[in-house]
Amino acid sequence: MLWIRLGFQELIKNRGFALFFILNLSLGLAGFIAIHSFGRSLNHHLDDNLKEILTADLVISSNKALTPEELVIVHKVLGTKKTQARLVAFYTMVRAGQNAHLVRVMAMDNNFPLYGQFDLENGVPNKEIQKSPGVFMLRDTAYGLGLPEDINKKVPITLGNKTFTLSDYLITDPDKSLTAVELAPKIYMGIDQLDGTGLIGFGSRIRYSRFYRFDEDTDVVLLAKTLRQTFDQVFLGQSRVKVYDSHDVNKRLGRLTGYFTGYMGLVSVVTLFLAGIATAYLFRGYLNLKQHEIAVLMSIGAKHRDIYLYISFQLMILGTMASVLAILVSQILVPAFPIIFQGLIPDQIRLATDPATIFMALGLGMFGSIFFCLPVFIRIFGIKPLMLLRNTSSKRTFRQGLGMVASVLPGFIAFILISIFAAGSAKNGIVFVGGFVLALAFLSAIGWLLLSGCKKISNTRYPVVKIAFRNLYRNKWASLSCFVTIAMGAFLISLIPQVQKGLQNEIIKPEGLKIPVFFLVDIQDEQKAPFMEFIKTQDAELANLSPMVRGRILTKNRTPFHDKTRQSGNRVRVRRLEFNFSYRLDLDVSETIVQGSPLSKEPWDFESPDPFEISVELSFAERYDLKIGDLLGFDIQGIPLEGRVKNLRKVRWNSFQPNFFLLFQNGVLNDAPKTFLGSVSGVPIKKRQALKNNIVDAFPNVSVIDVTQMATTLLDITDRLSLSIRFMAWLAIAAGLISIFSIARHEAWKNENQINLLKILGSDFKSLQAITLLEFGFIGFTAALFAILLSYAFSWAISWYFFDSLWQINWGVSFLILFLTTFICMGTALMASRKVMHSKPITLLSNT
């Protein structure tokens, strides 16, 4: 009880230390709680709504309607105790009044959806749009088509060769997706109303889906596995039918959300680490001030163990209070996530703080503070009662030096474990720790060199400069703590803009490429010539009209292609078989051969014993382990063919031009039934809508994708992601600023005698201000400068690895970060030391 009472008394006596210790640690813990509660809430939402997201227990999907033979297999495996729904989905153009837009048609039967329901404003039954040509759509979609708000005003809606009307407005879309970002809005119609539209033709990209719902006690995972195996056995592993259940959806969505929440979680670990630096520094200063008191306690009989428990109790109390404050702050942060991440997470998600994360945060607060401060804690064992009599500090022995090194290990191990927990995988966590340690080591080394060089800079005749830089040199460890804390925060903020700048420029205006206005899909073979003539009458340029033929890859070097599997983590997936192929005499400007030689322009002879030549896109070749000289066997609409890889080429997909993974030699696909893709450019902004309307009127089956709108959507996604990342980076900076304030305040109080001595010697308030501003301005400027330079290297590596070297320096953001960090550091330090500067010189005499 004595040590507990003494611990409380000491904390009350040192309220400033206790307050800033709690603030530092609580901010780091608040970010940790908020991020992991957000991740858990997102995972819980997906787990609880998997069937609603899939709208069924099991789905069978293919790009062609199931054959009678395939239907027999389905009914045999799935049995009779099931409910079924059908859906045909495809993209096409819709015309309403003077507006034509790309939409995704969802043609459904009466039973769709099997889970969830249509929430309609007027409650029109689903069967109404089965009997008559009507559609359901969201009000936003109707607004984009220029439809009147009054549903009773029946404006004709043209889909292909058939006219529909708006039957009702959807309140919510039953076909739920993970995010609100889609290529085109959905329009629901009856599946029987597809007849007469003329939208389903050869080569059209259609998705035929059958949805199944079973009794609660049915093992759906086993049914899905059995159905896949049966299809593989019957069709020798070449089935075009895909079978998936809610378990498969959960894995796919888990990967998507894992990338997002994993990064956010790792940034929260950085915030916690920065807070830990400040708390360790504050504790070091506190322990320095308590050395004589500890020596007194030991001289009257206290043992090292008693002192250790006495200090440990104080740390646990402070850590617990920091955890409680962090939990309260997280209650404010968590509800803010739907606003910050709007469009990136489901609208229906309910966010709440996770009890397991709160319990873990309490543990980190109570025991993590001891881990953070353990290297400083070791110094207790070097305190001797003799110090009280001689008025000297303890000297570190070799044994204590080894203890200091060993004391770092528990904290480092805890950091690795927390990083793995935050990243969601051991690999990502360890890679993060490696990168973080590398950045930390680099910045620490730079900071040490700079502060060591302050001794030379202080050799000047200007008193303010001399005193400021001598303070930095003499208080090297404190200054280094400030430097590293601010540098890591600035590094995080500066890391993303460089990647984002490169992506934005490549999406909007790729270097050396001309971005089209429209991308054209599903031009039929017999429409090619009329379409080319039609474009000539319009104020537009048609480019890259490319044939597309669908087929399968059967063999690689005369071994079955489908037997080869790709592994990703713990997942093993059978290789995809169906692909789109094309041919062209000359490569597009967006394509570059990186290995091999160009394809022959001479037409390939079907009677030739030699395989035809193939050009393979580089990433496709890497994914399927294809090399120059490999033989590939194909099934092109029932005709077996064999080709040899002649070259590998790099494709700049951001050109938005028709490009393909595999290009065949001239003569192979020329006579095959095909459709065409194309691009249109040179259309004035004011005439774009009119051109879309004209294309829809003349060629109803042709889909027109607005590339400028797609680019805007992609940029919107990158902006939202960047906003979320910057939010977490600024949270880390906030932890850094509180650390600066704490360290500056502590240094000001520690240098109180020096400040008062300067006053006695004639220094005015402005000179003292200048010294403080120069000290922390130098730290802030150099920390931000080297953090930005380091961020260039890391962001380039990230761009090279993930984004095909789409990297560009964002000078504006870099200069903004540099100067804001400098001025914020100066202002924070000035606020922290202001009270000491206003103290009276008489305090110096009273302390002597």
Side-chain angles (χ1 to χ4, degrees), residues 684-699:
I685 295 177
K686 294 182 179 179
K687 296 185 177 181
R688 291 177 184 176
Q689 185 59 53
L691 178 59
K692 280 198 288 186
N693 295 342
N694 293 339
I695 292 175
V696 171
D697 291 340
F699 304 92

Side-chain angles (χ1 to χ4, degrees), residues 464 467-468 471 751-752 754-760 762-775 830 833-834 836-839:
V464 170
I467 295 171
N471 285 343
N751 296 329
E752 181 180 16
Q754 176 185 295
I755 292 173
N756 285 324
L757 183 59
L758 289 172
K759 288 181 180 180
I760 292 173
S763 296
D764 56 10
F765 183 74
K766 289 185 178 179
S767 297
L768 297 176
Q769 272 188 325
I771 292 171
T772 301
L773 291 174
L774 185 57
E775 280 187 55
L830 195 61
S833 57
R834 190 176 185 86
V836 176
M837 291 182 190
H838 282 93
S839 63

Side-chain angles (χ1 to χ4, degrees), residues 462-639:
Y462 299 103
V464 170
V465 178
K466 181 186 291 289
I467 295 171
F469 282 95
R470 281 193 178 180
N471 285 343
L472 289 173
Y473 176 75
R474 289 170 179 169
N475 300 293
K476 195 179 295 184
W477 284 108
S479 302
L480 186 62
S481 297
C482 276
F483 181 91
V484 171
T485 302
I486 291 305
M488 288 302 294
F491 168 72
L492 283 173
I493 291 181
S494 181
L495 187 64
I496 301 304
Q498 322 311 325
V499 179
Q500 186 185 10
K501 180 77 170 178
L503 286 172
Q504 286 179 337
N505 284 349
E506 282 295 297
I507 291 172
I508 296 175
K509 190 178 181 181
E511 185 178 354
L513 299 179
K514 184 178 182 181
I515 296 295
V517 175
F518 297 136
F519 189 86
L520 307 172
V521 182
D522 286 346
I523 302 173
Q524 298 296 311
D525 201 354
E526 65 276 9
Q527 293 177 320
K528 177 184 176 184
F531 193 87
M532 294 175 67
E533 291 298 321
F534 166 79
I535 289 294
K536 290 179 181 179
T537 64
Q538 308 294 315
D539 189 7
E541 301 173 11
L542 179 64
N544 293 329
L545 198 59
S546 304
M548 185 179 74
V549 177
R550 192 155 184 88
R552 295 184 181 187
I553 302 178
L554 300 181
T555 61
K556 173 191 171 184
N557 295 325
R558 294 173 181 165
T559 60
F561 188 74
H562 63 83
D563 285 347
K564 306 293 183 181
T565 59
R566 291 181 290 143
Q567 297 185 3
S568 178
N570 295 324
R571 301 179 306 277
V572 178
R573 294 183 295 172
V574 178
R575 282 178 165 174
R576 173 184 167 193
L577 296 174
E578 291 190 313
F579 299 97
N580 296 321
F581 309 126
S582 187
Y583 61 92
R584 55 177 56 138
L585 293 178
D586 298 296
L587 293 181
D588 186 66
V589 293
S590 61
E591 299 173 302
T592 306
I593 294 177
V594 292
Q595 291 183 37
S597 55
L599 300 184
S600 172
K601 295 185 179 181
E602 294 296 324
W604 180 70
D605 186 359
F606 272 80
E607 303 298 326
S608 172
D610 298 325
F612 59 85
E613 299 173 358
I614 309 170
S615 175
V616 182
E617 192 268 337
L618 184 61
S619 64
F620 184 90
E622 292 173 348
R623 189 182 314 143
Y624 293 103
D625 193 26
L626 300 178
K627 300 178 179 61
I628 293 176
D630 282 347
L631 282 173
L632 296 178
F634 300 90
D635 176 0
I636 308 296
Q637 297 171 5
I639 300 175

Side-chain angles (χ1 to χ4, degrees), residues 8 19 26 57 121 149 176 216 262 334 381 408 410 418 459 524 589 710 796 815 818 825 830 847:
F8 272 118
L19 175 63
S26 64
D57 291 318
E121 290 188 5
E149 291 188 11
K176 299 178 177 66
E216 289 291 334
V334 171
F381 297 100
V408 175
I418 293 171
N459 295 327
Q524 298 296 311
V589 293
M710 182 186 295
W796 180 86
F815 282 115
L818 181 63
C825 287
L830 195 61
N847 291 334

Side-chain angles (χ1 to χ4, degrees), residues 243-254:
V243 180
Y244 49 95
D245 55 27
S246 59
H247 181 70
D248 300 313
V249 173
N250 193 21
K251 288 194 293 185
R252 289 198 296 270
L253 295 182

Side-chain angles (χ1 to χ4, degrees), residues 139 163 169 221 266 282 287 586 610 675 809:
R139 278 194 175 272
T163 301
Y169 285 118
V221 175
L266 289 174
L282 289 172
L287 198 60
D586 298 296
D610 298 325
T675 58
I809 293 178

Side-chain angles (χ1 to χ4, degrees), residues 41 92 95 104 177 289 305 337 425 545 560 627 670 692 781 803 827:
S41 296
T92 190
R95 177 75 182 271
R104 189 182 184 195
S177 59
L289 296 175
R305 181 187 60 189
F337 280 113
S425 73
L545 198 59
K627 300 178 179 61
N670 298 49
K692 280 198 288 186
F781 180 82
F803 303 113

